Amino acid sequence: MKVFIIGIAGGIGRRVAKQLAEAGDEPIGLVRRPEQAEALALGGIQTVRGDLVAMSVEDLAATMRGCDAIVFSAGAGGKENDEATTRVDGDGPRKLATAAERAGVRRFILVSVFPEAWRERRMDASFEHYMVEKKKAETQLVLTDLDWLIVRPSALTNEPGTGRVDLGLAKFHTEIARDDVAATIVELLRTPGLNRLILELTGGGMAISEGIGALAFDSAAAAEKLIARDSDKTP
């Protein structure tokens, strides 16, 4: 696969790119600083100098043309200011989706946020703004005709991955290693039959491949039921 990654220098995007490259796939993504490109190049990962906010839709489409899928894992929340959060976390996915449609790239995985993440803490107004913008991005993506998947990881850690998760339509929030989030995204990229789902992801006891396999089976079974139901209604 050739996968275009927004956020390729970040905690999850870098891990996704590394795992893809090690498997013989071709990750590529935007970086804003030369040192980011140099660090990724050491792992054989190709990058393009560019800025999601500054680039036009046409320029983004040209950059991703020929790719098989897109992963959006960028995030400005908590790092800059509310305006940056709006431009990147809120408006960025829709802009990228528009570019994907023009480039003919249908598969789009959005790394979002678990709605309950850190709700047990007293979070400031900037965090709440971040959550609102993430929700906005989700609502905009689901209105597109792309083969989208939204992945909502719970609170992220830098602990080594375990290869075991809890993945499904609705889960209790705990914590999950960034390694395991990346591994889940890579496995989802290899499961093209899973589309148009919002999945919540947290630490758990099921192997990533088993969890995704179960979801794929349930999705296929549901599709067969719909086909059978529609056939019964045909005069």
Side-chain angles (χ1 to χ4, degrees):
M1 294 180 292
K2 185 174 183 180
V3 182
F4 187 72
I5 303 172
I6 292 291
I8 197 168
I12 292 175
R14 174 170 44 84
R15 288 169 168 84
V16 170
K18 182 175 182 290
Q19 292 181 27
L20 287 170
E22 288 174 348
D25 296 300
E26 187 181 351
I28 182 174
L30 292 182
V31 293
R32 292 188 293 174
R33 299 192 298 274
E35 61 268 26
Q36 294 173 324
E38 292 167 5
L40 289 163
L42 293 175
I45 297 167
Q46 182 183 355
T47 57
V48 177
R49 288 288 299 278
D51 186 319
L52 171 66
V53 173
M55 292 173 72
S56 68
V57 169
E58 290 74 17
D59 287 342
L60 285 167
T63 302
M64 71 175 72
R65 192 163 283 116
C67 290
D68 301 295
I70 293 166
V71 173
F72 188 105
S73 64
K79 300 171 191 172
E80 298 183 44
N81 51 48
D82 286 353
E83 184 180 354
T85 298
T86 297
R87 293 196 308 264
V88 176
D89 299 276
D91 298 334
R94 183 67 186 99
K95 182 178 184 180
L96 196 66
T98 302
E101 290 170 334
R102 297 189 186 183
V105 184
R106 293 202 52 78
R107 190 105 165 109
F108 191 122
I109 295 182
L110 171 64
V111 181
S112 187
V113 63
F114 210 110
E116 288 76 40
W118 302 122
R119 282 298 191 240
E120 68 275 17
R121 303 184 178 192
R122 287 180 176 269
M123 305 307 292
D124 61 20
S126 291
F127 179 83
E128 295 303 328
H129 178 72
Y130 167 73
M131 297 293 279
V132 168
E133 292 301 317
K134 284 291 188 183
K135 183 65 175 182
K136 182 178 79 175
E138 290 185 359
T139 60
Q140 291 176 338
L141 182 59
V142 300
L143 294 175
T144 71
D145 292 327
L146 298 175
D147 295 332
W148 52 264
L149 273 177
I150 294 170
V151 180
R152 295 172 171 171
S154 59
L156 300 168
T157 75
N158 287 321
E159 297 298 318
T162 66
R164 309 187 77 81
V165 299
D166 193 8
L167 175 69
L169 302 182
K171 295 296 174 181
F172 286 107
H173 156 68
T174 57
E175 292 183 341
I176 188 167
R178 286 179 171 86
D179 286 347
D180 288 331
V181 176
T184 301
I185 291 168
V186 170
E187 190 69 24
L188 287 169
L189 285 167
R190 304 194 191 288
T191 313
L194 279 178
N195 289 305
R196 296 181 164 266
L197 291 171
I198 299 176
L199 302 175
E200 295 187 344
L201 175 65
T202 192
M206 182 173 284
I208 292 170
S209 59
E210 291 179 17
I212 292 176
L215 280 170
F217 179 83
D218 291 344
S219 181
E224 288 178 3
K225 286 181 181 179
L226 285 173
I227 292 170
R229 185 192 66 185
D230 291 342
S231 298
D232 291 341
K233 293 179 180 178
T234 303

